[in-house]
């Protein structure tokens, strides 16, 4: 190690820890550019609080939680409107499913046990485990984090569930000029790797490419030239859903580990 990224231009799609990641890349001889593919995150207070109050009163047959921080935020928002205890009682009285070890750990802090959890940290893994459940006419509350989960919602609809969605956070789209700049850099062949740290960043790039008619070209670039790098399984899953097969993913879902994994990839290639 030392110069494994020599002459390599690495794009960071993140909004945070970009300075640390850039330094890691530069230490390996590479150059880093930040092209943030994620807009501002804000709490969607009013709508969520109204829904929380309703669920604290009527409950649901199932609650499905997809992120630990999202569940924690729901608890804080329920506390703000003085229905935290009632909401927790309703969750404990329902069947509970969750995605990811962080989500399961957060639920455990509140003495909430999963009926079902994923087998690999992904939405697909969660869907696999839910296949055996009969959701016909069942009321299902799905907690999301900043973006919709079309595959999960479609699956639940196909099983006859009556679905409500809770998004404690929402995302404002990234600056279009930034996404356009990245698309042009990709098509010019000046990018050796793009590092994605959330599924939202993946969606931002590919939704934009789809809208502008660049999609096939961008997909081909990730197949032949530019390496797609994901911080973890959920982000990698979003890339696979966009038709990307060559993906570098670290074993430990950390930004630093992602850069080191990319270094190893280029050392071997």
């Amino acid at each position: 190690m030392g110069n494994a990224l020599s002459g390599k231009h690495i794009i960071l799609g993140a909004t945070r820890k970009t300075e640390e990641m850039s330094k890691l890349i530069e230490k390996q001889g590479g150059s880093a550019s930040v092209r943030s593919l994620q807009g501002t995150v804000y709490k969607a207070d009013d709508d969520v609080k109204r829904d929380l109050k309703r669920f604290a009163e009527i409950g649901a047959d199932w609650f499905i939680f997809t992120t630990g921080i999202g569940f924690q935020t729901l608890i804080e928002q329920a506390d703000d409107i003085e229905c935290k205890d009632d909401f927790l009682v309703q969750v404990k009285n329902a069947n509970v499913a969750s995605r990811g070890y962080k989500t399961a750990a957060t639920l455990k802090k509140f003495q909430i046990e999963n009926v079902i959890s994923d087998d690999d940290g992904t939405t697909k893994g969660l869907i696999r485990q839910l296949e055996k459940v009969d959701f016909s006419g069942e009321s299902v509350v799905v907690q999301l984090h900043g973006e919709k989960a079309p595959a999960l919602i479609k699956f639940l609809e196909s099983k006859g569930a009556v679905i409500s969605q809770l998004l404690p956070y929402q995302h404002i789209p990234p600056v279009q000029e930034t996404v356009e700049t990245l698309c042009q850099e990709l098509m010019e062949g000046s990018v050796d790797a793009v590092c994605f740290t959330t599924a939202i960043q993946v969606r931002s790039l590919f939704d934009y490419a789809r809208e502008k008619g660049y999609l096939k070209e961008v997909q081909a670039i990730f197949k032949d030239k530019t390496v797609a790098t994901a911080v973890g399984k959920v982000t990698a899953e979003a890339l696979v859903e966009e038709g990307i097969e060559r993906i570098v993913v670290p074993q430990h879902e950390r930004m630093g580990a992602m850069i080191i994994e990319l270094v190893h990839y280029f050392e071997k290639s």
Side-chain angles (χ1 to χ4, degrees):
M1 282 178 49
N3 287 302
L5 300 181
S6 181
K8 305 292 185 192
H9 181 209
I10 315 297
I11 297 290
L12 303 173
T15 52
R16 61 188 194 89
K17 295 196 175 178
T18 53
E19 202 172 317
E20 297 98 307
M21 286 191 285
S22 295
K23 281 178 184 172
L24 266 176
I25 290 163
E26 286 157 12
K27 274 185 184 175
Q28 299 299 322
S31 64
S33 299
V34 178
R35 302 283 180 263
S36 180
L37 296 169
Q38 196 164 340
T40 308
V41 180
Y42 67 94
K43 285 186 183 181
D45 277 358
D46 293 342
D47 291 346
V48 174
K49 284 178 179 175
R50 185 194 62 232
D51 291 339
L52 277 171
K53 208 168 191 62
R54 183 158 56 93
F55 293 126
E57 290 168 4
I58 66 169
D61 297 310
W62 282 85
F63 280 86
I64 299 177
F65 298 102
T66 62
T67 63
I69 192 169
F71 174 67
Q72 186 74 51
T73 303
L74 288 177
I75 297 302
E76 289 166 11
Q77 290 170 326
D79 200 25
D80 286 347
I81 54 173
E82 299 178 349
C83 67
K84 175 183 167 183
D85 292 344
D86 290 338
F87 179 66
L88 283 170
V89 166
Q90 294 290 11
V91 174
K92 288 173 185 177
N93 286 339
N95 296 301
V96 175
S98 73
R99 182 195 73 182
Y101 71 93
K102 288 182 184 174
T103 313
T106 307
L107 289 167
K108 211 166 187 180
K109 283 182 194 171
F110 291 90
Q111 289 79 52
I112 296 165
E113 294 295 327
N114 278 322
V115 174
I116 289 176
S117 56
D118 60 84
D119 55 14
D120 64 354
T122 68
T123 302
K124 274 186 184 169
L126 178 57
I127 289 170
R128 272 196 299 274
Q129 298 305 309
L130 291 170
E131 282 280 4
K132 56 197 172 195
V133 179
D134 180 9
F135 284 107
S136 300
E138 298 275 278
S139 56
V140 181
V141 178
V142 184
Q143 171 265 315
L144 302 169
H145 181 61
E147 65 162 355
K148 299 200 166 32
L152 178 58
I153 300 302
K154 191 175 177 184
F155 162 77
L156 291 167
E157 285 173 346
S158 74
K159 299 279 275 183
V162 180
I163 305 160
S164 303
Q165 299 178 42
L166 280 173
L167 282 83
Y169 283 94
Q170 290 185 358
H171 290 267
I172 295 168
V175 177
Q176 287 217 331
E177 288 82 350
T178 302
V179 192
E180 177 65 30
T181 297
L182 175 54
C183 285
Q184 293 304 323
E185 288 171 322
L186 286 166
M187 292 186 287
E188 287 161 8
S190 64
V191 177
D192 295 285
V194 178
C195 295
F196 299 93
T197 59
T198 65
I200 288 159
Q201 294 163 22
V202 175
R203 308 250 185 263
S204 292
L205 175 60
F206 285 90
D207 284 351
Y208 183 86
R210 197 173 282 110
E211 184 190 322
K212 295 293 180 182
Y214 306 152
L215 183 62
K216 286 188 178 174
E217 204 168 340
V218 169
Q219 285 171 327
I221 287 156
F222 277 110
K223 184 179 179 181
D224 300 326
K225 159 117 179 101
T226 303
V227 180
T229 313
V231 76
K233 290 176 181 174
V234 174
T235 308
E237 185 181 30
L239 283 161
V240 170
E241 285 172 5
E242 295 294 352
I244 308 306
E245 294 175 0
R246 183 180 54 163
I247 307 165
V248 172
V249 195
Q251 195 169 354
H252 299 291
E253 302 194 359
R254 299 285 182 275
M255 293 185 189
M258 173 181 66
I259 303 301
I260 299 306
E261 195 65 34
L262 185 61
V263 167
H264 293 324
Y265 174 85
F266 280 121
E267 279 178 332
K268 290 173 192 168
S269 60

